[in-house]
Amino acid sequence: MALSLVALVAYLAYLGYDGSQTFAMHARSGDCRTPASEFGWPYEAINYDLASDSELDAFPDRTECPRPGEEAGDALTASDGIRIAGWYIPAGNQSEAAPTIVLAHGNGKTKSEMLSWAEPLHAEYNLVLFDFRNHGQSSGDVTTLGVREVRDLQAVVDWLERTKAPPAIAVLGVSMGGAAAVDEAATDDRVSAVILDSTHATLVSALQAQLESRGLPLALPGAWSILLGGLLRTGEDLSVADPIPAIAHIGDRPVLIVAAGDDDAVGPTDAADLMTAGLGDGARVELKTCPAAAHGGSVVTCSSDYASWVLGFLERSLPHGP
């Protein structure tokens, strides 16, 4: 009996150590594509020297670069001093009245990987893509799955309002980016609409689903162990960033939830739970599902439908100029 208890404690401790290290101390993505290299779009570098991007042309595979580009400078920082790098991409139609969509990536990704989401939006909307802390060109050495990352998004929205004064702002967040998006919108009415793609309802449900997908036993206590490991590593209660309580503070602003039907990185009812919570508190919530998509894959697997869902939602939700 004592040996079984020791084995159980050791197993959960291992899950907490390994799981928290995986998300908090991950390696940075090698994707260094830019709007120009991928689509030929003009863009403005935010908080670094645009000319430095020419150095990335030396890398034959822009999805596997040895470095992400020049480090962010000091012109755009989060409230705790983290330096944020990004891009401002003018709308293809060059409309001065076009709203701006801020795109927020998932854990372990970069702004480069959000170019797939930018492609259907570019014709009609100004876009901001940026790197969260501990990702891409931004500074920082720990990821907190939305708890501190919301400060990065808030700094980007502040920069956008200060320098571009857009008529309306929406945020599209994928996975961790969705958690930051709904948390920011809950306290910032400058965000007029939110799109949540492959976003968990709670971290516990997401971590439990990930452990179950790996065939590991005791997935629920294992998920709690990982959260405890995250607390010890980062000093943060990571459940503070759970989208479920945040969506209750959206008010009557519109929210589009895009679920991937083959997503084993979030709980099986997470999208429905988010919709129910939002509707119960007055938000205008829509839910769309791409049945065959894996986590974050709806934009590719259901590309035509995805573009229709997102563009239709934004057309209904944001003011458009003449």
Side-chain angles (χ1 to χ4, degrees):
M1 185 69 174
L3 286 177
S4 297
L5 182 59
V6 169
L8 174 61
V9 171
Y11 171 70
L12 293 177
Y14 170 75
L15 288 183
Y17 174 85
D18 183 66
S20 62
Q21 182 177 46
T22 298
F23 71 73
M25 310 293 185
H26 55 78
R28 299 202 181 204
S29 167
D31 196 327
C32 70
R33 292 172 295 161
T34 68
S37 70
E38 189 72 357
F39 299 122
W41 297 343
Y43 64 103
E44 174 184 332
I46 302 174
N47 200 25
Y48 75 97
D49 183 4
L50 178 63
S52 67
D53 280 354
S54 63
E55 300 172 7
L56 303 175
D57 293 333
F59 305 137
D61 182 357
R62 294 289 285 265
T63 65
E64 292 291 343
C65 299
R67 55 183 175 80
E70 184 179 81
E71 293 182 0
D74 298 320
L76 174 58
T77 62
S79 59
D80 56 355
I82 295 295
R83 304 184 306 277
I84 305 299
W87 301 318
Y88 179 82
I89 307 171
N93 62 12
Q94 300 182 341
S95 169
E96 295 183 359
T100 298
I101 316 301
V102 179
L103 276 62
H105 63 77
N107 189 29
K109 306 298 184 179
T110 70
K111 61 186 181 301
S112 295
E113 285 149 299
M114 292 305 294
L115 288 168
S116 295
W117 282 262
E119 186 175 13
L121 299 172
H122 173 254
E124 299 180 31
Y125 296 96
N126 300 311
L127 305 173
V128 173
L129 283 64
F130 71 99
D131 293 321
F132 280 115
R133 63 187 59 212
N134 196 30
H135 292 80
Q137 295 169 256
S138 295
S139 68
D141 56 9
V142 66
T143 296
T144 61
L145 299 180
V147 177
R148 297 177 187 167
E149 286 73 16
V150 71
R151 304 174 189 174
D152 308 339
L153 177 55
Q154 183 179 59
V156 169
V157 173
D158 290 343
W159 175 90
L160 183 58
E161 183 182 52
R162 183 173 66 249
T163 62
K164 306 297 181 183
I169 299 171
V171 181
L172 186 161
V174 180
S175 194
M176 178 186 75
V182 71
D183 285 350
E184 169 65 8
T187 59
D188 189 345
D189 58 12
R190 294 174 299 178
V191 178
S192 299
V194 177
I195 300 171
L196 305 177
D197 185 336
S198 299
T199 299
H200 52 275
T202 67
L203 272 177
V204 166
S205 63
L207 292 169
Q208 180 181 359
Q210 291 167 35
L211 293 174
E212 289 173 347
S213 73
R214 293 163 56 190
L216 295 174
L218 301 174
L220 181 56
W224 284 110
S225 295
I226 294 173
L227 285 183
L228 176 59
L231 174 64
L232 296 175
R233 284 188 186 277
T234 68
E236 300 283 6
D237 174 3
L238 302 179
S239 66
V240 167
D242 281 350
I244 276 282
I247 203 169
H249 298 286
I250 293 292
D252 62 356
R253 282 172 289 172
V255 179
L256 172 64
I257 300 169
V258 179
D262 195 25
D263 191 344
D264 60 6
V266 302
T269 66
D270 276 17
D273 292 345
L274 280 171
M275 182 177 69
T276 299
L279 289 172
D281 286 284
R284 291 178 283 155
V285 184
E286 303 175 31
L287 173 61
K288 302 293 184 181
T289 302
C290 178
H295 187 69
S298 298
V299 69
V300 173
T301 304
C302 294
S303 57
S304 179
D305 286 339
Y306 194 96
S308 177
W309 297 335
V310 171
L311 291 173
F313 170 78
L314 293 172
E315 179 67 29
R316 295 188 297 274
S317 303
L318 301 180
H320 292 68

